[in-house]
Amino acid sequence: MVEELGSNTEGDLIINVGPQHPATHGVLHLVITLNGETIKKVEPHLGYIHRSIEKMCESLTYRQFIYVTSRMDYLSSHINNHACALIVEKGMQIEVPPRAQVIRVLMDELTRIASHELWWGAMAMDLGAFTPFFHAFREREAINEIMEETCGARLTMNYMVPGGVLEDLHPDFQRKVKEFITLYKRKIAEYDDMVTGNIIFQNRMKGVGVISAADAISYGCSGPTLRGCGVSCDIRKIYPYELYDKIEFDEVLETAGDSFARYMVRIREMNQSIRIIEQLIDNIPEGDVQAKTKAVLKLPKGEFYQRVETARGEFGIFIVSEGGTNPYRIKFRSPGFSNLSALDHMARGSKIGDLVAMMGTLDLVIPDIDR
Amino acid sequence: MFIVNYIKDVFTALKSLAIGLRRTLFYFTHHNEIITEQYPDNRATLRLADRFKGEVVMPHDANNEHRCTGCTACELACPNGTIKVVTKFDITPEGKKKKAIDKLVYHLELCTMCNLCITACPSDAIKMAQTFEHSVYDRSQFTKVLNNEGSKIMEGVE
Ligand code: SF4
Ligand code: SF4
């Protein structure tokens, strides 16, 4: 390892963080070159949870490959599934019934909140505050319960299928979602009391891990990481899919580009998601939840691309089809991978203690980075 | 001036900490806000959602009859090769050969609970069960035969 890094000068210290480290939230391995306490270089090493998902998908049919994508970014599994369903629908020109569209958007936004809740808890825990983690899980549990009732699973739902959604909503769905909104509004003030306003937290976040808009773009960052630099990049706004062009919501932007900006983007995004849910929850049209599709799905010959906005950024699927029942080539563009690549740039010159804070605000989900 | 700012900082800091601690004290004194599930002590009353996908099972009726025709649609729909349908030929009273299942082998360890087999089954022979305590001592215990010993197909299911 030491030889490989080459350019180290005398006195540099090389330490490994991970792959078994509580702050990396998974099997991420960082090789850090230190000069005293100052970070000179951060090198992520991937491959510990590589499951060759892209290759696997090439041997699965267009119905089957969807469930694999739940296992990539497991916190945004609905949104990943959504992208898969959309690309198949786009290729085969399937019309999705309006009820299914509304259900899909509702599920996406609930997933986004659940994902940000988990991130918030984990982020505070990285910085040494253990209690917020449990508070975040309380709200997330309410969403998980809703998911469990309607989709039958808490994490890997596999609820979106080409042409609509798997089953109709559970009769309790609307009531439970409204209950959740009330709970959320009651509890969100706690988040500011406990973490956002906390002086220790602010001192550790403000001005830490700064990245300029130009650098963030050149690293391919997306989602809250890029919006924290003030760049408008919400796929729901720029390339609207499903119902997003008909719904009122604001794209959240912060300009500082530091860890605190990324933190605030996510917190404010949760409120926007609530706003979307409030618009839709009472207006779910009646009707089918699945369009009639052929038993065997075949995409026409050609190339297809579909992007969606997951909780972490832009998720894209590229499919090359030869006209058969399975994709000839499939490529996923995962937000986590590009966001992680900016970590080195952010961390250079800062202290090792801040590295965990930076990683926390990138909201890394390792299976998403390492497919 | 520096000293004044410093003291101001100390006071804002203390205030923010106190606000945070107020929450802790609130939960310390409000026990009904606690939502912890007392698992496994509450096992007797714990009920999962009806749609919870825990395991694929094949329901049998009182006469030990199931609805599976052995069409292998579930086997083909499964992305992981979890289900293996082993068929045999029954001789009907009229002396004709009829295809039926011998065994429907299900590998729980390979199953991802994706529901594709259930959707694919044309005769509603399989469904998801709400079990979740799946730990066993040996891997071989995960391989299950879903149809009961000596079971046969229901009248009228084609
Ligand atoms: S639930 Fe999915 S993985 Fe499990 S047996 Fe059915 S099709 Fe296969
Ligand atoms: S369970 Fe259903 S799909 Fe599978 S072989 Fe039996 S009838 Fe066919």
Coordinates of all heavy atoms in Angstrom, one line a residue, chain A residues 64 67 158, chain B residues 53 55-56 74-83 106-108 110-120 126 128, ligand 1:
Chain A
Q64 N -38.1 -8.8 -14.0 CA -37.3 -9.3 -12.9 C -36.2 -8.3 -12.4 O -35.8 -8.3 -11.2 CB -36.7 -10.6 -13.2 CG -37.6 -11.7 -13.4 CD -37.0 -13.0 -13.9 OE1 -36.0 -12.9 -14.6 NE2 -37.6 -14.1 -13.7
Y67 N -36.4 -5.7 -9.1 CA -36.2 -6.0 -7.6 C -34.7 -5.9 -7.3 O -34.4 -5.6 -6.1 CB -36.7 -7.4 -7.3 CG -35.7 -8.5 -7.4 CD1 -35.0 -8.9 -6.2 CD2 -35.4 -9.0 -8.6 CE1 -34.0 -9.8 -6.3 CE2 -34.4 -10.0 -8.7 CZ -33.7 -10.4 -7.6 OH -32.8 -11.3 -7.7
N158 N -40.1 -3.4 -3.7 CA -40.5 -4.0 -5.0 C -42.0 -3.8 -5.3 O -42.7 -4.7 -5.7 CB -40.3 -5.5 -5.1 CG -38.9 -5.9 -4.5 OD1 -37.9 -5.3 -4.9 ND2 -38.9 -6.8 -3.6
Chain B
K53 N -44.4 -9.6 3.4 CA -43.9 -10.7 2.6 C -42.8 -11.3 3.4 O -41.7 -10.8 3.6 CB -43.4 -10.1 1.3 CG -44.5 -9.6 0.4 CD -43.9 -9.1 -0.9 CE -43.6 -7.7 -0.8 NZ -43.4 -7.0 -2.1
E55 N -42.5 -15.1 3.6 CA -42.1 -16.5 3.1 C -43.2 -16.9 2.2 O -44.3 -16.6 2.4 CB -41.9 -17.4 4.4 CG -41.8 -18.8 4.1 CD -41.8 -19.7 5.3 OE1 -42.3 -19.2 6.4 OE2 -41.5 -20.8 5.2
V56 N -42.8 -17.7 1.2 CA -43.8 -18.3 0.3 C -44.4 -19.6 0.9 O -43.6 -20.4 1.3 CB -43.2 -18.5 -1.1 CG1 -44.2 -19.1 -2.1 CG2 -42.7 -17.2 -1.7
C74 N -44.4 -20.1 -11.8 CA -43.7 -19.5 -10.7 C -42.2 -19.7 -10.8 O -41.4 -18.8 -10.6 CB -44.2 -20.0 -9.3 SG -44.2 -21.8 -9.2
E75 N -41.8 -20.9 -11.2 CA -40.4 -21.2 -11.4 C -39.8 -20.3 -12.5 O -38.7 -19.8 -12.3 CB -40.3 -22.7 -11.8 CG -38.8 -23.1 -11.8 CD -38.7 -24.6 -12.2 OE1 -39.6 -25.4 -11.8 OE2 -37.7 -25.0 -12.8
L76 N -40.5 -20.0 -13.6 CA -40.0 -19.2 -14.6 C -40.0 -17.7 -14.2 O -39.1 -17.0 -14.7 CB -40.9 -19.4 -15.9 CG -40.8 -20.7 -16.5 CD1 -41.8 -20.8 -17.7 CD2 -39.4 -21.0 -17.1
A77 N -40.9 -17.3 -13.4 CA -41.0 -15.9 -13.0 C -39.9 -15.5 -12.0 O -39.6 -14.4 -11.9 CB -42.4 -15.6 -12.4
C78 N -39.4 -16.5 -11.2 CA -38.5 -16.2 -10.1 C -37.2 -15.8 -10.7 O -36.6 -16.5 -11.5 CB -38.4 -17.4 -9.2 SG -37.3 -17.1 -7.9
P79 N -36.7 -14.6 -10.2 CA -35.4 -14.2 -10.7 C -34.2 -14.9 -10.1 O -33.1 -14.8 -10.6 CB -35.3 -12.7 -10.3 CG -36.4 -12.5 -9.4 CD -37.3 -13.7 -9.3
N80 N -34.4 -15.7 -9.0 CA -33.3 -16.3 -8.3 C -33.2 -17.8 -8.4 O -32.4 -18.4 -7.7 CB -33.3 -15.9 -6.9 CG -33.5 -14.4 -6.7 OD1 -32.8 -13.6 -7.4 ND2 -34.4 -14.0 -5.9
G81 N -34.1 -18.4 -9.1 CA -34.1 -19.9 -9.1 C -34.5 -20.4 -7.7 O -34.0 -21.4 -7.3
T82 N -35.4 -19.7 -7.0 CA -35.7 -20.1 -5.7 C -36.7 -21.3 -5.7 O -36.6 -22.2 -4.8 CB -36.4 -19.0 -5.0 OG1 -35.6 -17.8 -5.1 CG2 -36.6 -19.2 -3.5
I83 N -37.5 -21.4 -6.7 CA -38.6 -22.4 -6.7 C -38.2 -23.5 -7.7 O -37.7 -23.1 -8.8 CB -39.9 -21.8 -7.0 CG1 -40.4 -20.9 -5.9 CG2 -41.0 -22.8 -7.3 CD1 -41.7 -20.2 -6.1
Y106 N -38.8 -25.1 -2.3 CA -38.6 -23.7 -2.1 C -37.4 -23.5 -1.3 O -37.3 -24.0 -0.2 CB -39.9 -23.2 -1.5 CG -39.8 -21.8 -1.0 CD1 -39.6 -20.7 -1.9 CD2 -39.9 -21.5 0.4 CE1 -39.5 -19.4 -1.4 CE2 -39.9 -20.2 0.9 CZ -39.7 -19.1 0.0 OH -39.6 -17.9 0.4
H107 N -36.5 -22.7 -1.8 CA -35.2 -22.4 -1.0 C -35.4 -21.0 -0.4 O -35.2 -20.0 -1.1 CB -34.0 -22.4 -2.0 CG -33.8 -23.7 -2.6 ND1 -33.0 -24.6 -2.0 CD2 -34.2 -24.2 -3.8 CE1 -32.9 -25.7 -2.8 NE2 -33.7 -25.5 -3.9
L108 N -35.7 -21.0 0.9 CA -35.9 -19.7 1.6 C -34.7 -18.8 1.5 O -34.8 -17.6 1.4 CB -36.4 -20.0 3.0 CG -36.7 -18.8 3.9 CD1 -37.7 -17.9 3.3 CD2 -37.1 -19.2 5.2
L110 N -32.6 -18.3 -0.8 CA -32.4 -17.6 -2.0 C -33.5 -16.6 -2.3 O -33.5 -15.9 -3.3 CB -32.4 -18.6 -3.2 CG -31.3 -19.7 -3.2 CD1 -31.5 -20.6 -4.4 CD2 -30.0 -19.1 -3.2
C111 N -34.6 -16.6 -1.5 CA -35.8 -15.8 -1.9 C -35.6 -14.4 -1.5 O -35.1 -14.1 -0.4 CB -37.0 -16.4 -1.1 SG -38.5 -15.5 -1.6
T112 N -35.9 -13.5 -2.3 CA -35.8 -12.1 -2.0 C -37.2 -11.4 -1.8 O -37.3 -10.2 -1.7 CB -35.2 -11.3 -3.2 OG1 -35.8 -11.7 -4.4 CG2 -33.7 -11.6 -3.3
M113 N -38.2 -12.2 -1.6 CA -39.6 -11.7 -1.3 C -40.1 -10.7 -2.3 O -40.6 -9.7 -1.9 CB -39.7 -11.1 0.1 CG -38.9 -11.9 1.1 SD -39.5 -13.5 1.4 CE -38.2 -14.2 2.4
C114 N -39.9 -11.0 -3.6 CA -40.2 -10.0 -4.6 C -41.6 -10.1 -5.1 O -42.1 -9.3 -5.8 CB -39.2 -10.1 -5.8 SG -39.4 -11.6 -6.7
N115 N -42.3 -11.2 -4.7 CA -43.7 -11.4 -5.0 C -44.0 -11.7 -6.5 O -45.1 -11.8 -6.9 CB -44.5 -10.1 -4.7 CG -45.8 -10.4 -4.1 OD1 -46.0 -11.4 -3.4 ND2 -46.8 -9.6 -4.5
L116 N -42.9 -11.9 -7.3 CA -43.2 -12.2 -8.7 C -43.8 -13.6 -8.9 O -44.7 -13.7 -9.8 CB -41.9 -12.2 -9.5 CG -41.3 -10.8 -9.7 CD1 -39.9 -10.9 -10.4 CD2 -42.2 -9.9 -10.6
C117 N -43.5 -14.5 -8.1 CA -44.1 -15.9 -8.3 C -45.5 -15.9 -7.9 O -46.3 -16.5 -8.6 CB -43.3 -16.9 -7.4 SG -43.2 -16.4 -5.7
I118 N -45.9 -15.1 -6.9 CA -47.3 -15.0 -6.5 C -48.1 -14.4 -7.6 O -49.2 -14.8 -8.0 CB -47.5 -14.2 -5.2 CG1 -46.4 -14.5 -4.2 CG2 -48.9 -14.3 -4.6 CD1 -46.5 -15.7 -3.4
T119 N -47.6 -13.3 -8.2 CA -48.3 -12.6 -9.3 C -48.4 -13.6 -10.5 O -49.4 -13.5 -11.2 CB -47.5 -11.4 -9.7 OG1 -46.9 -10.8 -8.6 CG2 -48.4 -10.3 -10.4
A120 N -47.4 -14.4 -10.7 CA -47.3 -15.2 -11.9 C -48.3 -16.4 -11.8 O -48.8 -16.9 -12.9 CB -45.9 -15.7 -12.2
I126 N -50.1 -20.3 -4.4 CA -49.1 -19.9 -3.4 C -49.4 -18.5 -2.9 O -50.0 -17.7 -3.6 CB -47.7 -20.0 -3.9 CG1 -47.6 -19.4 -5.4 CG2 -47.2 -21.4 -3.8 CD1 -46.2 -19.4 -5.9
M128 N -48.0 -15.3 0.3 CA -46.9 -14.9 1.2 C -47.4 -15.1 2.6 O -48.6 -14.7 2.9 CB -46.6 -13.4 1.0 CG -45.7 -13.2 -0.2 SD -44.0 -13.8 0.2 CE -43.2 -13.4 -1.4
Ligands
SF4_1 S1 -40.8 -14.2 -3.9 FE1 -39.5 -13.8 -5.6 S2 -37.5 -14.7 -5.1 FE2 -39.0 -15.5 -3.7 S3 -39.7 -17.4 -4.7 FE3 -41.1 -15.8 -5.4 S4 -40.3 -15.1 -7.3 FE4 -38.6 -16.2 -6.3

